[in-house]
Amino acid sequence: GRKHKKCCLGKEAASSRGPGWNPPTGVSDELARFALRDLPREELDRAWSAFSGTEEPIASANPGGSEFSGFMDWLIQGWETRGKTVIERFEAERGFLLGPRDAAQLTEIKARAFGVFEVAEARPGSGVVLEDLFDGRRLDVHDVSASRNAVQWDLIASWVMPTKTPAELWGVGYPFPPSAKDDLKSALQ
């Protein structure tokens, strides 16, 4: 939550997966419906204000834009309401209804982490090797789109599913030029 808001709040960055929030089907769709339908409007307005840095209600958001896509990723995993994130509330209230495939997907989504990474290597058409900007750990990431758009030393702020081998980027990714490295590090430390 905090890292995501500090580095990406107010940025109009295009996702490497294209505009608009279009997650995989299955439990991801259920999470989005749960968040948008079951959270009180006032809670959604507070979350939107915290994410967007405005006092505008969520009704003012463009659901087809990359900012809303990033908001949904963050809302599901980064926003806490009544002491739990949306994904934790979903699991407690509806997790028992999931079949084995969706339960496994929910476990993977819960394991994802938001980070800021430097591209250590780009393998066009295959993936990238990312190095965490803070702890130096390297992840081999399968993401064809990122492999075609990123070059060595680029920076990417994104959710990562480290449970997959190779790891996968998830949701909206925020690209930054290499020149932003020092500013990002000092803003997020």
Side-chain angles (χ1 to χ4, degrees):
R2 199 173 310 160
K3 279 186 181 180
H4 184 273
K5 289 191 287 187
K6 281 188 178 179
C7 86
C8 303
L9 188 59
K11 302 276 188 224
E12 268 306 315
S15 166
S16 62
R17 300 186 194 285
W21 189 64
N22 191 18
T25 57
V27 74
S28 295
D29 288 339
E30 289 298 316
L31 282 165
R33 278 192 290 276
F34 176 81
L36 295 174
R37 187 176 39 212
D38 291 0
L39 287 179
R41 176 66 55 194
E42 300 79 35
E43 188 70 21
L44 287 170
D45 286 342
R46 277 193 302 278
W48 176 251
S49 289
F51 181 83
S52 67
T54 70
E55 294 300 319
E56 298 292 320
I58 193 167
S60 69
N62 172 8
S66 63
E67 185 179 31
F68 191 78
S69 299
F71 169 71
M72 288 304 298
D73 293 340
W74 174 77
L75 177 68
I76 288 168
Q77 192 134 350
W79 177 255
E80 284 194 12
T81 176
R82 289 180 263 153
K84 291 185 177 182
T85 62
V86 170
I87 200 167
E88 290 166 340
R89 287 188 56 210
F90 176 86
E91 185 175 38
E93 294 176 27
R94 302 219 180 130
F96 67 93
L97 298 171
L98 298 176
R101 187 176 136 246
D102 286 342
Q105 186 182 17
L106 182 66
T107 299
E108 287 177 354
I109 292 170
K110 283 175 39 185
R112 70 187 179 160
F114 188 81
V116 181
F117 305 92
E118 183 173 64
V119 176
E121 178 186 349
R123 296 184 305 269
S126 172
V128 292
V129 176
L130 300 177
E131 184 172 311
D132 188 289
L133 208 56
F134 297 95
D135 66 17
R137 116 188 108 98
R138 285 184 169 223
L139 290 170
D140 184 21
V141 176
H142 173 73
D143 192 295
V144 175
S145 186
S147 76
R148 291 184 178 138
N149 295 313
V151 295
Q152 188 175 28
W153 313 124
D154 278 352
L155 302 171
I156 298 172
S158 182
W159 292 94
V160 176
M161 289 186 125
T163 56
K164 300 264 190 175
T165 305
E168 293 180 0
L169 298 179
W170 200 91
V172 174
Y174 298 88
F176 293 91
S179 61
K181 182 177 181 175
D182 292 337
D183 290 339
L184 279 173
K185 282 185 87 167
S186 57
L188 297 175
Q189 285 182 328

